[in-house]
Amino acid sequence: MAKQPLITLSTNAKGLSFDRPTAIQIFSFVRDAIISMELLPGQMISETSLANQFGVSRTPVREALIQLSNIGFVEVLPQRGTYVTKFSMNKILEARFIREAIEVSVVSYLAEHVNDEIILEGEKIIAEQKLAADDNDPLAFQKLDDKFHQLLANSTEYARVAQVIEAEKAHMDRVRCLSLQEEEQFKRVLAQHTAIIKAIKSGVPDKAAKAMSIHLKDVYNVLKVIPQEHPEYFV
Amino acid sequence: MAKQPLITLSTNAKGLSFDRPTAIQIFSFVRDAIISMELLPGQMISETSLANQFGVSRTPVREALIQLSNIGFVEVLPQRGTYVTKFSMNKILEARFIREAIEVSVVSYLAEHVNDEIILEGEKIIAEQKLAADDNDPLAFQKLDDKFHQLLANSTEYARVAQVIEAEKAHMDRVRCLSLQEEEQFKRVLAQHTAIIKAIKSGVPDKAAKAMSIHLKDVYNVLKVIPQEHPEYFV
DNA sequence: ATCATATTTCTTGTATACTAGTATGTCAAT
DNA sequence: ATTGACATACTAGTATACAAGAAATATGAT
């Protein structure tokens, strides 16, 4: 390994706009490539090669890779190379723990400060998810799932809450790509989302907390079988 | 302003060791300078000036400042300058919310998985804090407070949990420097820490959660008066 | 004196060159 | 066949040079 062209992104060098910092654009680009498994866990990323592909110097590429290492998407080994991190069950569990802690607090907060707008919006998303499930459209379903959790995360006045949740969720999203979504799973998620909104509406924090906790524990049940199916992507 | 020497750190350029990356050392150095209020909120930080003081090039300094902007300690304004972020009550509230969410989950977890070692260590720290309070030694008391929360944060097998808590706590630590510690406050913190350990020992998660929640809400009570005393450091 | 407009001097962003450490392939000695 | 030395081709870390933009300052007209 580490011989053939290390990176072959499907987008060519011209994907950069001129009005935003190059480093940030490259960060987003590579992050998306990692989440979508275009760059595989364990794969090497060469600063020089990336720089050539984007038609820029190593400097912004390097800054982007440092950022990616901050969020645990790549690992920089000095004088050796930069590699896409493999999945680790421990990291997934960490992310799940933190997500549960914060999201549980958020829905508890929401139950105490009932907000009709958010409840209506949540119910709307659930309705759309029902349609996506009927159409058996996993991608649409996932996007709506993200939207649902983002709605809750953004419902506090604390922007950072949504940021931290998203950062942790990203690690689960990477793995989620490998999990094929079954119809039965759609139904469970739908029921759980419905229960969460209902609990918030009831105004009882503990009920909302419990509903969210159950939901996130169940999400993990889906993920935990993946290492056996794809051991090559795990440490 | 922004005329006289922008930065005058008390340590001279030779404080860098050769075996670790320069960028990381500078990051730690500047972070500590910000937490200790050696660099004041709103103050400008010049990449060039810092580089000269450390006797290095702009590159590692720049990377350090980018990292500091990630954790919200500085703000990089393109083509204008890099500034130490001012305090904002909203950011403190964000940090408190996230801390409470995670630390509550941690002690709940601990109550369910009772660990004698951690309880003993916690009680030991509390005993030392009692001595520090008797000696009226705020610095020692604070360090032990950090140690207490770190003990709990590190008690899960998830390293990231401690990392996230520390990252959020840092914003409260910055402000904490401005709060003069009174004897009466020592006593409250001691009682609260004792209650947390006792609740964990009892094995009832909800009790532990409540104890931690009370503690962190009270910490905020101490911080919330500071903007009035030091409006110049707030946005 | 006041206002509009160059100009100069800051700043960060990016490109390039160089340093030093690491893996690897070659080849000789065992 | 195995081992070890050494040359080579990588890597990331750092230094330096330049570009682009913003702000302060100087300049000149009114």
Side-chain angles (χ1 to χ4, degrees):
Chain A
M1 87 181 206
K3 207 52 177 299
Q4 64 274 55
L6 296 165
I7 297 178
T8 357
L9 298 180
S10 61
T11 306
N12 60 13
K14 287 122 200 136
L16 299 178
S17 69
F18 289 93
D19 53 345
R20 289 189 317 158
T22 315
I24 293 174
Q25 296 185 58
I26 293 177
F27 169 83
S28 304
F29 197 93
V30 178
R31 185 200 55 200
D32 292 347
I34 290 176
I35 289 182
S36 67
M37 300 286 283
E38 203 168 343
L39 292 172
L40 295 175
Q43 186 172 355
M44 184 176 180
I45 299 181
S46 161
E47 289 183 2
T48 313
S49 163
L50 255 185
N52 291 339
Q53 285 188 48
F54 282 107
V56 298
S57 76
R58 266 183 60 214
T59 309
V61 172
R62 175 177 167 75
E63 287 176 359
L65 291 182
I66 291 175
Q67 301 282 23
L68 286 164
S69 82
N70 285 336
I71 64 172
F73 272 34
V74 307
E75 198 173 359
V76 179
L77 306 177
Q79 274 70 43
R80 294 212 271 163
T82 303
Y83 296 84
V84 179
T85 51
K86 292 198 173 189
F87 301 136
S88 92
M89 196 33 83
N90 194 262
K91 207 183 320 189
I92 294 171
L93 286 168
E94 284 177 352
R96 206 209 62 79
F97 185 92
I98 294 169
R99 259 191 86 178
E100 177 176 334
I102 301 179
E103 294 207 48
V104 158
S105 288
V106 167
V107 293
S108 295
Y109 175 88
L110 277 177
E112 279 176 334
H113 307 78
V114 181
N115 180 324
D116 292 338
E117 259 185 64
I118 288 167
I119 289 175
L120 281 174
E121 179 66 21
E123 287 170 341
K124 197 183 125 202
I125 294 172
I126 291 173
E128 292 178 51
Q129 271 192 302
K130 214 164 276 182
L131 295 178
D134 289 340
D135 294 352
N136 199 29
D137 185 345
L139 200 69
F141 193 86
Q142 271 191 11
K143 279 196 174 172
L144 288 164
D145 186 84
D146 290 343
K147 205 171 163 187
F148 182 79
H149 286 275
Q150 275 167 23
L151 171 74
L152 300 179
N154 284 308
S155 64
T156 71
E157 63 258 61
Y158 310 131
R160 178 125 183 91
V161 168
Q163 284 170 23
V164 174
I165 292 175
E166 203 202 322
E168 300 304 319
K169 205 166 88 61
H171 291 287
M172 301 174 70
D173 289 345
R174 271 182 82 191
V175 184
R176 191 173 60 170
C177 283
L178 297 177
S179 112
L180 55 119
Q181 307 252 358
E182 304 153 12
E183 201 173 332
E184 193 252 341
Q185 191 183 323
F186 289 151
K187 279 184 191 155
R188 280 215 312 279
V189 170
L190 268 171
Q192 289 159 9
H193 282 190
T194 307
I196 290 168
I197 290 291
K198 189 180 159 193
I200 292 173
K201 218 195 281 193
S202 78
V204 183
D206 287 350
K207 249 174 91 175
K210 191 70 192 165
M212 177 59 85
S213 178
I214 287 173
H215 177 43
L216 291 178
K217 281 192 172 67
D218 190 51
V219 169
Y220 167 66
N221 284 331
V222 176
L223 296 182
K224 75 175 173 191
V225 299
I226 296 180
Q228 293 139 31
E229 293 166 10
H230 295 277
E232 71 274 23
Y233 294 144
F234 282 77
V235 288
Chain B
M1 88 180 207
K3 208 51 173 301
Q4 64 274 57
L6 297 164
I7 297 180
T8 357
L9 299 179
S10 60
T11 307
N12 59 13
K14 286 120 202 138
L16 300 177
S17 68
F18 289 93
D19 53 344
R20 290 188 317 157
T22 315
I24 292 175
Q25 296 184 57
I26 294 177
F27 169 83
S28 303
F29 197 93
V30 178
R31 184 200 55 198
D32 292 347
I34 291 176
I35 289 182
S36 68
M37 299 286 283
E38 203 168 341
L39 292 172
L40 295 175
Q43 185 173 354
M44 184 177 180
I45 299 181
S46 162
E47 290 182 2
T48 312
S49 164
L50 256 184
N52 291 338
Q53 285 188 48
F54 281 108
V56 298
S57 78
R58 267 184 59 215
T59 308
V61 171
R62 177 176 167 75
E63 288 177 359
L65 292 181
I66 291 175
Q67 300 282 25
L68 287 164
S69 83
N70 285 336
I71 65 171
F73 272 34
V74 308
E75 199 172 359
V76 179
L77 305 177
Q79 275 72 43
R80 292 211 275 165
T82 302
Y83 296 83
V84 179
T85 51
K86 292 198 172 190
F87 302 137
S88 92
M89 196 34 83
N90 194 262
K91 207 182 326 191
I92 293 171
L93 287 168
E94 284 178 351
R96 205 208 62 79
F97 185 92
I98 294 169
R99 260 191 85 178
E100 177 176 333
I102 301 180
E103 295 207 48
V104 158
S105 288
V106 167
V107 293
S108 295
Y109 175 88
L110 277 177
E112 280 177 335
H113 307 78
V114 181
N115 180 324
D116 292 338
E117 260 185 63
I118 288 168
I119 289 174
L120 281 173
E121 179 65 21
E123 286 170 342
K124 197 183 125 203
I125 294 172
I126 292 174
E128 293 177 50
Q129 271 192 303
K130 214 163 274 179
L131 295 178
D134 288 342
D135 294 352
N136 199 28
D137 185 344
L139 200 68
F141 192 86
Q142 271 190 12
K143 279 195 175 174
L144 288 164
D145 186 83
D146 290 343
K147 204 171 163 187
F148 182 79
H149 286 276
Q150 276 166 24
L151 171 74
L152 300 179
N154 283 308
S155 64
T156 72
E157 63 258 63
Y158 310 131
R160 178 128 185 88
V161 167
Q163 285 171 22
V164 174
I165 291 175
E166 203 203 324
E168 300 305 319
K169 204 166 88 63
H171 291 286
M172 300 172 72
D173 290 344
R174 274 183 78 191
V175 183
R176 191 173 61 171
C177 283
L178 298 177
S179 112
L180 55 119
Q181 307 253 0
E182 304 153 13
E183 200 174 333
E184 193 252 341
Q185 191 183 322
F186 289 150
K187 279 186 191 152
R188 279 214 314 279
V189 170
L190 268 171
Q192 288 159 8
H193 281 190
T194 307
I196 289 168
I197 290 290
K198 190 181 159 195
I200 292 174
K201 217 196 281 192
S202 78
V204 183
D206 286 352
K207 250 174 93 176
K210 191 71 192 166
M212 177 59 84
S213 178
I214 288 172
H215 176 45
L216 290 178
K217 281 193 171 64
D218 190 53
V219 169
Y220 168 65
N221 283 331
V222 176
L223 297 182
K224 75 176 174 189
V225 299
I226 297 180
Q228 293 139 31
E229 293 166 9
H230 296 276
E232 71 273 25
Y233 294 144
F234 283 76
V235 288

